[in-house]
C-alpha cells in the first residue's frame, strides 16, 4: 500500500526559520516523505539557505515564483505532487516527529475519511509554548459545539493506533494515546467559522483532485474557503492531540491585526453564497446572525482605524447592530 506523503511548504522572506520547518518534515518517523518548498518571491536569502542545506537531498524540491500569494504557491506545489497523501506546513511552524505516523494510521483506520487535522501548541516569539491546545482555543468556532456534538464518532488514539512500520512503533507517546480522535461530517457546521489550521492537515490527494486547489483570488483567509469545500465533500477527522508547533506573534504572519479586515471580508465572501444558495442548511438562525454580526463588527472596527473610511465603517457597524442590537462595544464604536 502506498503511504507516501508530499509536504507542501510555501514561504516568503523566512530564511530565518525555513530550515526548522523542513527539518521537522524530514525527521518524521514515517520515512516515506518528500518536501516541496515554494518560494513566493522572497527578497531575502531563502534560496541560498535552501541550496546550502538541502542541495544534495533528493527528498527536497525547491521552486521559485514571482510573488503571487500563498494560494498560488500551494497550487504550484500541488501540480508536482504524486504521493497518495498531502500535508501542508507553513514555513514558521514545525512538527513533532510522530505527526504524520499518527495521522496516517487514523486516516487509514477510519472509514471514508478524506482529511485529518490535529490540535497544536501555540508558541510565542521566544519559542516558548503558551498553550498546549491552541487550536481549540484560537478558533472561535469551537465555542458553538462540544467535540462530541460536532462529530458523530470518537475513539481514543490508543484504540486506533497501529504502527505502519517498525519506526512508528514507539514514536507516539503514551500521553498522546490517551487523547481522542473525532470523525464525521461537519458540513454545514464549519460554515459558522473555521476549525482547522493548514499546518496540521493531512489529506488524500484524491480529495484534492476532486475539489480543486486553493482559490488564488483569496490573498488571506484562503484556507477557510478551502476547508469548507473539503468538509462539503465528505467525512473528516480531528485528533485532539497537539502534533504541531504554531508560531504566534510574528509581524509577518497573515493573521497580523492590521490585515484582519481582509480576513473578515473573505469570510463573508465564503459563507454568504452558501447560506443564500443552500436553503436546506440546518443551522440555527441565531448562530448565523451572530457570525454575520461579528464579521460586520470586525470590518467596521478596522475601517474606523482609517479615518477616510468612517462612513463605510458606520454602515458595517449598523449592519452588525441590526442583527444583534445589544452589543455595547459595537454601539459605542
Amino acid at each position: 500500500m502506498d503511504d507516501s506523503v508530499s509536504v507542501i511548504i510555501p514561504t516568503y522572506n523566512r530564511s530565518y526559520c525555513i530550515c526548522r520547518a523542513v527539518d521537522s518534515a524530514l525527521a518524521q518517523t514515517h520515512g516515506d516523505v518528500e518536501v516541496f518548498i515554494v518560494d513566493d518571491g522572497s527578497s531575502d536569502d531563502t534560496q541560498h539557505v535552501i541550496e546550502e542545506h538541502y542541495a544534495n537531498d533528493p527528498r527536497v524540491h525547491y521552486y521559485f515564483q514571482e510573488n503571487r500569494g500563498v494560494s498560488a504557491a500551494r497550487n504550484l506545489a500541488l501540480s508536482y505532487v504524486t504521493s497518495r497523501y498531502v500535508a501542508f506546513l507553513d514555513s514558521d511552524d514545525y512538527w513533532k516527529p510522530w505527526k504524520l505516523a499518527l495521522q496516517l494510521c487514523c486516516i487509514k483506520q477510519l472509514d471514508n475519511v478524506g482529511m485529518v487535522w490535529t490540535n497544536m501548541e501555540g508558541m510565542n516569539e521566544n519559542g516558548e509554548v503558551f498553550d498546549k491546545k491552541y487550536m481549540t482555543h484560537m478558533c472561535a468556532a469551537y465555542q458553538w459545539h462540544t467535540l462530541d456534538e460536532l462529530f458523530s464518532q470518537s475513539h481514543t488514539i490508543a484504540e486506533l493506533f497501529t504502527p505502519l512500520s517498525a519506526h512508528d512503533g514507539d514514536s507516539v507517546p503514551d500521553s498522546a494515546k490517551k487523547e481522542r480522535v473525532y470523525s464525521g461530517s461537519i458540513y454545514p457546521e464549519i460554515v459558522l467559522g473555521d476549525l482547522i489550521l493548514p499546518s496540521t492537515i493531512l489529506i488524500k490527494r484524491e480529495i484534492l483532485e476532486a475539489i480543486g486547489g486553493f482559490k488564488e483570488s483569496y490573498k488571506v483567509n484562503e484556507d477557510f474557503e478551502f476547508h469548507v469545500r473539503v468538509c462539503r465533500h465528505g467525512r473528516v477527522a480531528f485528533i485532539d492531540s497537539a502534533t504541531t508547533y504554531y508560531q504566534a506573534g510574528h509581524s509577518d504572519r497573515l493573521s497580523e491585526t492590521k490585515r484582519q479586515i481582509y480576513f473578515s471580508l473573505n469570510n463573508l465572501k465564503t459563507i454568504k453564497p452558501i447560506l443564500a444558495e443552500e436553503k436546506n442548511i440546518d443551522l440555527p438562525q441565531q448562530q448565523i446572525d451572530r457570525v454575520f454580526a461579528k464579521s460586520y463588527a470586525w470590518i467596521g472596527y478596522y475601517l474606523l482605524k482609517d479615518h477616510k473610511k468612517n462612513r463605510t465603517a458606520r454602515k458595517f457597524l449598523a449592519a452588525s447592530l441590526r442583527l444583534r442590537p445589544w452589543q455595547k462595544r459595537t454601539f459605542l464604536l
Side-chain angles (χ1 to χ4, degrees):
M1 183 65 72
D2 178 15
D3 294 326
S4 59
V5 180
S6 292
V7 181
I8 293 176
I9 305 179
T11 191
Y12 177 71
N13 285 344
R14 286 190 180 146
S15 63
Y16 62 90
C17 64
I18 182 67
C19 289
R20 183 180 65 179
V22 176
D23 289 346
S24 76
L26 297 176
Q28 291 295 296
T29 58
H30 178 77
D32 195 356
V33 171
E34 61 179 349
V35 176
F36 292 82
I37 304 166
V38 179
D39 185 343
D40 188 34
S42 294
S43 57
D44 65 2
D45 60 341
T46 293
Q47 183 170 357
H48 172 74
V49 168
I50 297 301
E51 290 175 350
E52 182 179 27
H53 286 82
Y54 308 108
N56 298 319
D57 194 328
R59 298 172 296 171
V60 179
H61 313 277
Y62 172 83
Y63 303 93
F64 182 91
Q65 67 174 23
E66 295 302 320
N67 184 253
R68 294 169 52 209
V70 65
S71 295
R74 290 185 182 130
N75 286 343
L76 176 62
L78 285 171
S79 70
Y80 293 104
V81 163
T82 59
S83 298
R84 187 183 183 198
Y85 299 96
V86 175
F88 299 104
L89 177 58
D90 288 348
S91 55
D92 56 348
D93 301 330
Y94 64 104
W95 292 337
K96 297 181 180 181
W98 42 271
K99 189 254 191 191
L100 293 181
L102 174 58
Q103 289 183 296
L104 281 166
C105 179
C106 290
I107 205 169
K108 290 164 76 72
Q109 293 272 24
L110 297 168
D111 292 337
N112 300 316
V113 164
M115 180 179 76
V116 58
W117 74 99
T118 76
N119 219 316
M120 61 192 186
E121 296 188 6
M123 294 186 308
N124 62 23
E125 293 184 2
N126 298 321
E128 301 164 333
V129 173
F130 63 86
D131 191 334
K132 291 186 175 295
K133 290 288 185 76
Y134 192 49
M135 173 78 77
T136 44
H137 300 152
M138 173 180 155
C139 295
Y142 280 101
Q143 70 180 293
W144 295 114
H145 309 274
T146 66
L147 291 173
D148 285 314
E149 291 171 343
L150 188 60
F151 295 92
S152 58
Q153 294 182 330
S154 75
H155 309 266
T156 64
I157 291 175
E159 290 174 316
L160 294 179
F161 186 68
T162 303
L164 300 176
S165 71
H167 297 291
D168 297 338
D170 298 321
S171 62
V172 179
D174 290 338
S175 58
K177 291 178 183 178
K178 297 176 183 178
E179 304 281 9
R180 300 196 72 82
V181 182
Y182 299 85
S183 61
S185 174
I186 63 169
Y187 184 84
E189 284 79 8
I190 194 172
V191 175
L192 295 175
D194 208 355
L195 300 159
I196 309 165
L197 269 292
S199 288
T200 68
I201 287 174
L202 179 74
I203 187 170
K204 294 177 179 176
R205 184 162 58 92
E206 65 192 62
I207 305 299
L208 289 165
E209 292 171 347
I211 70 165
F214 292 81
K215 288 191 176 180
E216 297 183 16
S217 61
Y218 284 65
K219 301 304 181 184
V220 294
N221 207 24
E222 77 296 328
D223 43 337
F224 176 44
E225 190 278 335
F226 173 78
H227 300 153
V228 169
R229 281 187 283 128
V230 174
C231 293
R232 185 189 232 162
H233 186 270
R235 289 167 55 84
V236 294
F238 170 60
I239 301 173
D240 193 19
S241 181
T243 68
T244 300
Y245 294 102
Y246 176 87
Q247 182 67 64
H250 277 179
S251 62
D252 64 341
R253 292 199 71 94
L254 290 178
S255 53
E256 188 182 5
T257 300
K258 67 181 181 181
R259 305 188 71 179
Q260 287 299 317
I261 184 173
Y262 300 108
F263 275 81
S264 299
L265 288 169
N266 281 343
N267 182 72
L268 290 173
K269 183 178 176 181
T270 297
I271 65 176
K272 266 190 168 182
I274 294 172
L275 295 173
E277 296 166 11
E278 298 192 22
K279 303 300 183 183
N280 60 338
I281 283 186
D282 185 20
L283 291 172
Q285 188 61 45
Q286 182 182 8
Q287 290 185 358
I288 294 173
D289 289 346
R290 185 170 180 178
V291 168
F292 277 117
K294 186 175 182 179
S295 293
Y296 291 143
W298 275 353
I299 295 168
Y301 169 72
Y302 289 111
L303 285 173
L304 275 179
K305 288 191 167 186
D306 182 347
H307 296 297
K308 297 177 182 178
K309 297 181 179 179
N310 280 2
R311 181 175 297 178
T312 306
R314 291 190 190 101
K315 291 180 180 178
F316 280 102
L317 293 170
S320 178
L321 289 170
R322 280 195 292 271
L323 292 170
R324 295 189 69 220
W326 305 111
Q327 298 178 76
K328 182 177 179 180
R329 178 175 179 272
T330 302
F331 179 77
L332 290 175
L333 286 172

